[in-house]
Amino acid sequence: GENVEQHPSTLSVQEGDSAVIKCTYSDSASNYFPWYKQELGKGPQLIIDIRSNVGEKKDQRIAVTLNKTAKHFSLHITETQPEDSAVYFCAARAGGNDYKLSFGAGTTVTVRA
Amino acid sequence: DTGVSQDPRHKITKRGQNVTFRCDPISEHNRLYWYRQTLGQGPEFLTYFQNEAQLEKSRLLSDRFSAERPKGSFSTLEIQRTEQGDSAMYLCASNPIAGGTDTQYFGPGTRLTVL
């Protein structure tokens, strides 16, 4: 099955700086890669996603890049704000008739004011 | 519609008891998923339904776990003879078939504590 690894496990940044989280996946057939943000006591909320036919996607301060050859994808958050503090998860979907998501272990991001 | 809802939000039970959780997906979402999340980990897939049909079950889903979606709307997840290792957050997600979207929308979860 799909195996997703995520690094780093914790990340502390100064407000206004950038944060980068990296993930690798094992199944070359995977074709959908979402990123979720989870705040304490809440369910994961989608913040951005990318499909395998696209190399990069941006939404305001958030961007995701995908390298299919290397089987890795990254989340970039620019101009970080205190409200960006949360746990972030990357995930991958294998494609075809396999609809489940395989998640990384998460990155706890702390934005220092 | 306000999103995926789950009930209860918290459940404390004693080892050996049975528990049942409910998930109400977003209206007209055909696919419904159950995941389990333990502290410090990402969600792990348990099972999913397309309408009322349960199409895939993870090996994590032991025979003490059963899930149903009888009318293709809400779903229930039952755990029989709970063990301390069942303590986790149980998350439900849904998405529609129409439109080809892969985005899964998650509910707030049910946090289970087995004493």
Side-chain angles (χ1 to χ4, degrees), chain A residues 6-110:
Chain A
Q6 182 171 347
H7 301 279
S9 57
T10 61
L11 182 59
S12 179
V13 297
Q14 190 69 36
E15 183 178 358
D17 288 350
S18 295
V20 180
I21 304 170
K22 298 182 178 182
C23 289
T24 61
Y25 61 98
S26 60
D27 188 346
S28 56
S30 291
N31 62 3
Y32 173 67
F33 307 91
W35 286 88
Y36 285 86
K37 176 182 180 181
Q38 188 173 29
E39 296 174 333
L40 204 59
K42 298 183 178 180
Q45 299 296 309
L46 180 79
I47 55 171
I48 196 167
D49 56 12
I50 192 167
R51 299 185 187 283
S52 57
N53 59 345
V54 175
E56 184 174 355
K57 183 177 178 181
K58 189 173 181 181
D59 182 5
Q60 299 183 338
R61 297 185 298 108
I62 295 173
V64 57
T65 58
L66 171 65
N67 184 326
K68 286 177 58 180
T69 304
K71 291 191 284 188
H72 67 69
F73 56 115
S74 301
L75 177 72
H76 304 252
I77 306 173
T78 58
E79 301 172 18
T80 53
Q81 302 168 2
E83 53 264 38
D84 294 329
S85 295
V87 182
Y88 291 81
F89 293 98
C90 61
R93 184 201 151 205
N97 290 326
D98 189 345
Y99 297 102
K100 64 181 177 290
L101 295 176
S102 298
F103 284 83
T107 297
T108 302
V109 174
T110 303

Side-chain angles (χ1 to χ4, degrees), chain B residues 35-98:
Chain B
Y35 292 83
R36 180 172 68 187
Q37 185 179 25
T38 53
L39 206 60
Q41 298 298 315
E44 293 176 296
F45 170 78
L46 292 178
T47 188
Y48 98 93
F49 292 83
Q50 183 163 303
N51 299 314
E52 65 276 9
Q54 187 173 19
L55 296 187
E56 187 175 353
K57 293 193 289 187
S58 164
R59 282 171 289 183
L60 291 175
L61 211 65
S62 77
D63 56 6
R64 296 185 298 106
F65 288 70
S66 62
E68 295 182 342
R69 194 182 184 199
K71 296 183 180 179
S73 56
F74 72 92
S75 174
T76 58
L77 178 67
E78 181 183 17
I79 309 174
Q80 296 182 327
R81 305 181 303 281
T82 53
E83 302 172 356
Q84 289 186 324
D86 297 331
S87 295
M89 174 80 87
Y90 290 83
L91 293 163
C92 177
S94 70
N95 63 359
I97 296 175

